[in-house]
Amino acid sequence: MSTDVVRYEKRGAAAIVTMNRPEYRNAQNSAMTYALDAAFRQAVDDDEVSVIVLAGAGKHFSAGHDIGTPGRDVDSVFENTAVLWWDHVGKDGGDLRYAREMEVYLGMCRRWREIPKPVIAMVQGACIAGGLMLAFVCDLIVATEDAFFADPVVRMGIPGVEYFAHPWVLGTRAAKEILFTGDRFTAQRAYEWGMVTRVVAADQLEAETLAIADRISAMPRFGLALAKRAVNQCEDAMGMRTGMDSVFGLHHFAHAHNAEVGADSLNGMDAKSMKSAGS
Ligand code: ZN
């Protein structure tokens, strides 16, 4: 089981869903995306599970989307789950990118945001770009003191990651700062901005997260589902859903511009050059 890209375990009323590619800092490929979706489905269907914890195996929560590991599986076919659209495989240019990112990035994140049980991100180490999207999707974020966050994709000439929740979860001023600089920000700063729920000592991460899960699990399941939906609906009334849709267009305009004038849709950047350009 340890070779699975996602691990699933139950701890009391909590289901712990763990991204399990620690050798690649849990870079998210499609295999992981669909394994995460299957694990969330299992947790939703299990009446004994009140709360879901999303974790990353090893030193880091997630370094982001897989843009260069040997397990990168951009050309593999998986059954589309998030949106009813044709598969990206075998398509070209914007047709390919739009189909793929609408399904595995924006669509999946939106689908997971609507999971009818509270989801807590348990974050240590790096939580970068696509990793940040996964944390944004969760209802609460518990992070260690040494966890760090960043959305550095402006270095690719792209205005942030596909699930553009930044103005709503960070506030507009902090959103601009982290986008304009691409710099890492600490768990403490993220806490001050209201993005992170708790900052805890590294050796207390699991205990503190499970303690919160335990408190939440005392509430009735349906009440929790409705409370989550209530806040999400208000977030959407604050413009999050329509804002994200408009930004997804800018995001794809940037991919297309890069492909038109540069080396590729990522402006020639890969995981290594992104890391070396970073702080
Ligand atoms: Zn993209």
Side-chain angles (χ1 to χ4, degrees), residues 5-239:
V5 291
V6 169
R7 290 198 317 251
Y8 184 91
E9 61 186 298
K10 288 211 291 188
R11 200 79 65 80
I16 305 180
V17 174
T18 305
M19 297 179 276
N20 191 33
R21 299 184 77 206
E23 65 275 35
Y24 303 115
R25 303 197 302 164
N26 296 317
Q28 183 191 339
N29 59 8
S30 289
M32 180 187 280
T33 302
Y34 289 94
L36 280 173
D37 195 67
F40 290 143
R41 173 93 257 169
Q42 186 176 347
V44 168
D45 287 340
D46 187 339
D47 285 343
E48 290 177 358
V49 171
S50 299
V51 182
I52 301 165
V53 174
L54 176 61
K59 290 184 183 159
H60 302 282
F61 179 76
S62 174
H65 297 145
D66 188 342
I67 55 172
T69 83
R72 195 176 187 215
D73 53 4
V74 176
D75 297 325
S76 303
V77 176
F78 292 85
E79 189 183 348
N80 284 4
T81 306
V83 294
L84 182 55
W85 198 268
W86 49 77
D87 197 77
H88 68 281
V89 175
K91 307 298 189 294
D92 295 316
D95 188 2
L96 182 159
R97 282 191 299 273
Y98 194 67
R100 177 165 180 273
E101 299 205 339
M102 204 168 31
E103 162 71 15
V104 297
Y105 298 154
L106 180 60
M108 277 297 188
C109 282
R110 279 182 163 166
R111 175 176 160 86
W112 298 338
R113 173 179 176 255
E114 299 300 327
I115 289 170
K117 294 181 179 180
V119 184
I120 307 174
M122 185 163 83
V123 178
Q124 80 286 11
C127 180
I128 308 295
L132 196 59
M133 291 180 16
L134 294 176
F136 281 171
V137 162
C138 297
D139 303 301
L140 308 180
I141 301 174
V142 181
T144 59
E145 289 158 341
D146 53 2
F148 54 94
F149 304 83
D151 182 352
V153 306
V154 179
R155 289 191 193 116
M156 298 171 167
I158 299 170
V161 288
E162 291 83 4
Y163 183 82
F164 195 77
H166 312 46
W168 292 271
V169 299
L170 284 158
T172 53
R173 198 69 67 188
K176 286 176 180 173
E177 181 183 332
I178 66 124
L179 288 166
F180 292 175
T181 65
D183 287 345
R184 293 175 175 183
F185 52 100
T186 62
Q188 181 59 34
R189 284 207 90 193
Y191 176 77
E192 287 158 11
W193 290 330
M195 188 196 111
V196 158
T197 310
R198 296 259 199 296
V199 182
V200 302
D203 61 358
Q204 293 301 306
L205 179 62
E206 188 171 292
E208 294 270 358
T209 305
L210 289 175
I212 295 170
D214 195 47
R215 279 199 58 74
I216 293 172
S217 69
M219 289 291 191
R221 175 173 54 81
F222 191 44
L224 287 170
L226 294 179
K228 175 165 178 170
R229 210 162 178 80
V231 177
N232 282 4
Q233 284 177 1
C234 290
E235 216 173 15
D236 286 339
M238 293 179 221

